[in-house]
Amino acid sequence: MTPEPTPPNPPPADPAAWLTPGRCAALLALLVFAMFPGVILGRDTFVIRDFGLFSLPVAHFQRECFWRGELPLWNPLSSCGMPFLAQWNPMALYPPALIYLLLPLTWSLPFFCLVHLLWGGFGMYRLTRAWTNHSLAACLAAVVFAFNGLSLNFLMWPSHIATFSWLPWVIWFGQRACREGGRTLVLATLAGALQMLAGGPETIFLTWFILMLLVLGESFMRSAPRGKMLRRFVSLVVLVTLLCGAQLLPFLRLLA
């Protein structure tokens, strides 16, 4: 009689399989709370350096205009008056700015920054998980992205931490959109538009430069039609630009 074949050994269990997206988000939230408990509970607020000298006054002026039902085109309180909407970084058209427009400012503006710190870390988890298929590596990348010196320094500028937090999401959705098209193109457009409206031009340029290099490299290495990926990338750029036209046109006019 022929011996029965030995069944193959099952693959070893992933020791980091318990690091699901929800648990990684909970870990990030716990670390944010551990670093800034007084801010989150409303006992303290950010004030040092540009947060107190620039970010808080800008948000205060935007909040006053919001409650008067005005679009803040011009700020007469800065120097002898200067453009507000066209500066881009005041986030006059950024939808999540409603957090500090509706809630008490000294608590909600730091909370806005910390929420984006958490959002950026979670985005890096999703991006690294898609690249490596390894939960531990993704969770480590999320913690490093959220709690490095650059990210923590960005907390004094709400527009910069908001723009930086969208970097991994734009790259993740952008790569998927260029591969798959369809619904992922819509998600990538929304992520790109939200980052664009947040108003940190240096981070926006860096994000799209990285995405362009990744798409170009992948289009030359994959067996899928190269032209289709490049056309989707161009479509993504055009859609984001059109969606953010109300912010970009005043900025370009001011720049000129």
Side-chain angles (χ1 to χ4, degrees), residues 96-110:
L98 288 170
I99 292 175
Y100 61 81
L101 296 180
L102 296 174
L103 300 172
L105 187 60
T106 53
W107 174 79
S108 59
L109 189 60

Side-chain angles (χ1 to χ4, degrees), residues 54-113:
F54 174 77
S55 303
L56 197 58
V58 164
H60 177 72
F61 174 74
Q62 183 184 359
R63 180 186 171 89
E64 286 190 329
C65 291
F66 175 81
W67 285 105
R68 290 197 302 264
E70 300 173 1
L71 184 63
L73 301 175
W74 182 265
N75 183 1
L77 305 177
S78 182
S79 298
C80 294
M82 60 192 305
F84 190 87
L85 172 67
Q87 281 190 69
W88 196 358
N89 63 342
M91 300 184 292
L93 301 179
Y94 182 56
L98 288 170
I99 292 175
Y100 61 81
L101 296 180
L102 296 174
L103 300 172
L105 187 60
T106 53
W107 174 79
S108 59
L109 189 60
F111 181 75
F112 170 91
C113 297

Side-chain angles (χ1 to χ4, degrees), residues 3-256:
E4 294 184 1
T6 308
N9 294 327
D14 181 5
W18 64 274
L19 283 171
T20 60
R23 286 173 177 168
C24 180
L27 174 63
L28 291 171
L30 183 63
L31 292 174
V32 169
F33 181 79
M35 290 191 70
F36 305 100
V39 173
I40 294 174
L41 296 176
R43 296 196 308 263
D44 303 316
T45 187
F46 294 153
V47 69
I48 293 176
R49 297 171 61 187
D50 277 2
F51 193 92
L53 295 172
F54 174 77
S55 303
L56 197 58
V58 164
H60 177 72
F61 174 74
Q62 183 184 359
R63 180 186 171 89
E64 286 190 329
C65 291
F66 175 81
W67 285 105
R68 290 197 302 264
E70 300 173 1
L71 184 63
L73 301 175
W74 182 265
N75 183 1
L77 305 177
S78 182
S79 298
C80 294
M82 60 192 305
F84 190 87
L85 172 67
Q87 281 190 69
W88 196 358
N89 63 342
M91 300 184 292
L93 301 179
Y94 182 56
L98 288 170
I99 292 175
Y100 61 81
L101 296 180
L102 296 174
L103 300 172
L105 187 60
T106 53
W107 174 79
S108 59
L109 189 60
F111 181 75
F112 170 91
C113 297
L114 295 179
V115 165
H116 282 84
L117 190 72
L118 173 63
W119 181 246
F122 187 59
M124 183 54 70
Y125 172 89
R126 301 307 300 258
L127 176 63
T128 309
R129 186 74 174 79
W131 281 354
T132 65
N133 199 31
H134 196 286
S135 300
L136 181 59
C139 194
L140 179 61
V143 172
V144 170
F145 184 86
F147 299 102
N148 65 79
L150 180 64
S151 299
L152 296 176
N153 196 52
F154 275 164
L155 290 175
M156 77 174 92
W157 300 296
S159 64
H160 282 295
I161 188 60
T163 309
F164 193 60
S165 73
W166 283 103
L167 183 150
W169 293 100
V170 174
I171 293 176
W172 182 44
F173 283 130
Q175 278 192 293
R176 290 180 56 194
C178 293
R179 291 189 204 117
E180 306 164 20
R183 187 174 69 92
T184 56
L185 186 60
V186 177
L187 295 174
T189 301
L190 291 176
L194 284 168
Q195 188 196 41
M196 192 72 68
L197 293 174
E202 303 90 346
T203 304
I204 292 170
F205 176 80
L206 176 65
T207 303
W208 287 89
F209 182 70
I210 293 172
L211 180 59
M212 181 187 68
L213 293 180
L214 291 171
V215 170
L216 285 174
E218 194 170 347
S219 66
F220 281 94
M221 288 167 34
R222 287 173 62 89
S223 56
R226 183 181 309 164
K228 187 177 291 187
M229 291 191 69
L230 297 178
R231 281 195 301 271
R232 287 170 179 163
F233 177 77
V234 173
S235 300
L236 177 59
V237 173
V238 172
L239 288 172
V240 170
T241 303
L242 292 175
L243 203 56
C244 300
Q247 178 65 76
L248 293 176
L249 289 176
F251 170 74
L252 292 175
R253 184 176 178 184
L254 174 64
L255 192 63

